Amino acid sequence: MSTEKKTFDTYLYGVVGVVGVLVAVVAVNLLLSGSSVRVDCTEEDLYTLTPATRQILKELDTPVTLRFYFSKDVPQMPPQLTTYAARVQDLLKEYEQAGGDNLEVVRLNPTPDSDAEDSANLDGVAGQAIGAFGTGDMVYLGLAVTCLDATVALPFLSPDRQDLLEYDITRAIYRVQHTEKAK
């Protein structure tokens, strides 16, 4: 009987321990869900803005608008583009937080014959044809950065340039802020 009681006690303590850990994890998650604290545990800080980018965003003195064009409703969208678009959106959230009141990110979903598609074309963001021989739907995955009268377009954010994504966006922000040519 003594061994049965020990087995039962061990089982009971194990179940109570697992339930206790689950309750602790849920409580910590609920407490931290309202905060905007993020931790980047990647080896090369892939999801953290560089100090140079943070400095440029801190020095913004005129409002800058980033219009992100992504065709999220295209049925034949390649999965790698959908994944990359999510990465771009995460990075743009970081820009929004670091830029404060002088940086606004507008997310647009260009569909055929829509105002968002017209806006993309006016901003210089080009749609890419997908499908056999380029006869399929047009896919937009681009960015337009505007400040006052200056606009810099990143017509298509290619996953091949993923390592340079932050550089490209920061350079575009800098270019619309500093329109005078260097002497």
Side-chain angles (χ1 to χ4, degrees):
M1 189 97 159
S2 174
T3 57
E4 286 180 16
K5 179 151 177 56
K6 276 189 173 183
T7 305
F8 178 74
D9 287 348
T10 304
Y11 177 74
L12 183 64
Y13 290 140
V15 169
V16 168
V18 168
V19 169
V21 168
L22 287 175
V23 167
V25 167
V26 169
V28 168
N29 194 14
L30 287 174
L31 288 173
L32 295 179
S33 66
S35 71
S36 61
V37 176
R38 295 180 57 181
V39 177
D40 183 358
C41 296
T42 57
E43 188 172 316
E44 297 174 4
D45 290 333
L46 295 175
Y47 301 102
T48 303
L49 296 178
T50 62
T53 295
R54 289 191 181 280
Q55 184 65 32
I56 288 172
L57 294 175
K58 191 169 98 173
E59 293 173 358
L60 291 177
D61 55 357
T62 309
V64 174
T65 303
L66 289 98
R67 282 189 296 283
F68 176 59
Y69 297 97
F70 174 54
S71 304
K72 62 183 176 184
D73 297 332
V74 173
Q76 296 93 6
M77 176 70 73
Q80 65 270 20
L81 281 183
T82 304
T83 303
Y84 184 60
R87 160 86 172 99
V88 172
Q89 290 187 57
D90 287 343
L91 185 63
L92 291 176
K93 285 179 189 172
E94 291 290 325
Y95 272 88
E96 260 181 316
Q97 288 179 349
D101 292 337
N102 282 330
L103 188 89
E104 178 187 14
V105 177
V106 178
R107 290 161 184 81
L108 299 165
N109 179 17
T111 55
D113 301 323
S114 69
D115 290 340
E117 183 181 45
D118 293 342
S119 176
N121 291 327
L122 288 173
D123 281 339
V125 174
Q128 303 290 317
I130 60 171
F133 306 109
T135 59
D137 293 322
M138 296 297 281
V139 172
Y140 289 86
L141 180 59
L143 188 71
V145 181
T146 59
C147 177
L148 300 176
D149 292 337
T151 300
V152 173
L154 302 173
F156 187 75
L157 301 172
S158 173
D160 297 337
R161 290 185 54 87
Q162 181 170 351
D163 294 341
L164 299 171
L165 178 62
E166 181 183 348
Y167 170 77
D168 289 340
I169 295 171
T170 303
R171 183 170 150 229
I173 291 170
Y174 184 83
R175 285 176 54 200
V176 297
Q177 281 281 303
H178 300 88
T179 55
E180 67 278 351
K181 300 243 181 204
K183 295 182 181 179

